[in-house]
Amino acid sequence: FCAAMMDKQRFPHNEFSFYFSRLPEQKSAIFFGGVDPRYYHGDFTLFNVMKFDFTTEAEGGGKRVWKGSEHYWQVQCDEIFFRYKSGKTSRLVGTTSVIFDTGTSFNTVPSEYHERWMENVPREVMTSDYDSLPDICYVFSSLQEGVDGQTECLTPEQYIVGKVRRSDGETYYETGVMRLDVPAPFGPSFILGDVFMRHYYTLFRREIPGERPPQIGIAQAKLRVNVADAAVFAQRSQIPRLDNEISSTFPELSNHHLSNSPPSPARSLTELSQQTQQLQENGGEPSDAFRAGGTPLLGQPTRNAAIRARDQPPPTSW
């Protein structure tokens, strides 16, 4: 969908972003063409998407060979480790990779690291053992050579997804992780799904040849967002409303996703100026009103098996 819309130059920027709500009364959002600063704190940290040599099934049979091409939204990770309250750390793996996937509910770990992971963060944790759980830390590779990577950690409060009472009366917590093996040449790789993105507003930037590679960006997500204000902010874009374009290209999305769309975008610079002033009053930058763009669909994001950096079929073994 995004590739088709970008090819038609319907987005102000070749990018889209996701906000996953942690509150049942507040909806999640997807933004086409930019970001909305009302949904996150601070600045984005950017990571380049990894490229591989691989083959896929070609239309009409046979194989298609890809050289130095991206496939998943996959970035290099310098280290994954566990950090305990005592200050002790335990390394799980050194250089590896992670895939950002909005269609995966839990975070995942490859089979070869699963046993070691479970020794530190079990799938089920007795409530009495909660205080002994570590943070799970990912060290993302820096874009600048010689600069340390960016470390982002999930606390037990963030990666625990439920509380269950057994028939014997014991209560335990469930952690948001599952075992999954990404096939070669892209694996072994870890996947960061909804459990991670509930806490990090995530930006997916397509490649602009000669200017920048495809990139992933993350920023701290806000817990609470005034959705009414966000809908007003979203009207700043000067691009036409995308409802008809979406309906004609992907009719299966129209009834489910467009019912919660905000009003049509602003049509005049006067309206844009008013929205820019409102944005500044709420802590945003004036340039955001013109740079970010994009009409959010204020509903649950599309739940594809994976949103890829290129329009290529997944490996047959996935």
Side-chain angles (χ1 to χ4, degrees), residues 50-66:
M50 299 174 68
K51 297 189 176 185
F52 300 87
D53 295 336
F54 58 96
T55 60
T56 60
E57 299 292 333
E59 293 184 10
K63 300 285 186 180
R64 181 175 181 180
V65 178
W66 302 85

Side-chain angles (χ1 to χ4, degrees), residues 18 46-47 68 76 120 137 143 154 177 214 221 278 304:
F18 284 88
L46 296 172
F47 316 108
Q76 184 170 314
N120 290 272
C137 300
L143 293 181
L154 292 179
V177 65
Q278 183 182 27
N304 292 329

Side-chain angles (χ1 to χ4, degrees), residues 86-140:
S86 64
K88 171 191 171 184
T89 61
S90 175
R91 172 185 274 200
L92 177 70
V93 61
T95 302
T96 184
S97 67
V98 297
I99 297 171
F100 288 79
D101 185 8
T102 60
T104 302
S105 297
F106 288 175
N107 297 336
T108 76
V109 58
S111 293
E112 63 186 277
Y113 303 111
H114 186 259
E115 182 177 353
R116 177 81 183 282
W117 183 291
M118 290 294 121
E119 291 173 358
N120 290 272
V121 182
R123 181 72 179 85
E124 299 176 355
V125 181
M126 301 305 295
T127 53
S128 58
D129 295 330
Y130 175 84
D131 288 338
S132 66
L133 287 173
D135 297 342
I136 303 171
C137 300
Y138 301 83
V139 184
F140 298 102

Side-chain angles (χ1 to χ4, degrees), residues 248-267:
S248 61
T249 307
F250 294 91
E252 67 274 15
L253 297 184
S254 57
N255 292 334
H256 178 68
H257 291 279
L258 298 181
S259 59
N260 291 319
S261 297
S264 299
R267 300 295 183 183

Side-chain angles (χ1 to χ4, degrees), residues 296-308:
L297 303 183
L298 298 177
Q300 291 296 329
T302 307
R303 308 289 297 176
N304 292 329
I307 297 180
R308 296 179 177 83

Side-chain angles (χ1 to χ4, degrees), residues 100-286:
F100 288 79
D101 185 8
T102 60
T104 302
S105 297
F106 288 175
N107 297 336
T108 76
V109 58
S111 293
E112 63 186 277
Y113 303 111
H114 186 259
E115 182 177 353
R116 177 81 183 282
W117 183 291
M118 290 294 121
E119 291 173 358
N120 290 272
V121 182
R123 181 72 179 85
E124 299 176 355
V125 181
M126 301 305 295
T127 53
S128 58
D129 295 330
Y130 175 84
D131 288 338
S132 66
L133 287 173
D135 297 342
I136 303 171
C137 300
Y138 301 83
V139 184
F140 298 102
S141 300
S142 172
L143 293 181
Q144 296 178 282
E145 188 175 350
V147 176
D148 291 341
Q150 177 77 18
T151 301
E152 301 293 345
C153 299
L154 292 179
T155 65
E157 181 184 15
Q158 293 173 325
Y159 62 71
I160 284 177
V161 296
K163 189 175 183 180
V164 178
R165 183 179 295 276
R166 292 175 173 168
S167 57
D168 60 6
E170 292 285 350
T171 302
Y172 66 92
Y173 293 108
E174 288 186 290
T175 60
V177 65
M178 63 183 182
R179 178 166 50 189
L180 187 147
D181 291 313
V182 177
F186 315 105
S189 184
F190 297 76
I191 295 178
L192 296 179
D194 300 3
V195 170
F196 183 87
M197 295 185 197
R198 288 180 196 149
H199 308 283
Y200 292 90
Y201 185 110
T202 307
L203 170 67
F204 299 82
R205 306 180 77 179
R206 292 293 295 268
E207 180 175 11
I208 300 179
E211 292 186 24
R212 72 166 190 232
Q215 294 177 321
I216 290 286
I218 58 173
Q220 289 286 337
K222 290 184 178 179
L223 175 62
R224 296 186 181 276
V225 178
N226 188 324
V227 177
D229 286 348
V232 171
F233 173 78
Q235 297 177 37
R236 65 191 177 279
S237 174
Q238 298 182 74
I239 65 174
R241 187 171 171 82
L242 301 178
D243 295 39
N244 294 335
E245 198 79 45
I246 294 172
S247 298
S248 61
T249 307
F250 294 91
E252 67 274 15
L253 297 184
S254 57
N255 292 334
H256 178 68
H257 291 279
L258 298 181
S259 59
N260 291 319
S261 297
S264 299
R267 300 295 183 183
S268 70
L269 290 178
T270 300
E271 290 172 300
L272 283 169
S273 297
Q274 292 172 345
Q275 290 155 15
T276 301
Q277 181 179 358
Q278 183 182 27
L279 173 63
Q280 287 180 276
E281 292 173 352
N282 285 275
E285 296 295 330

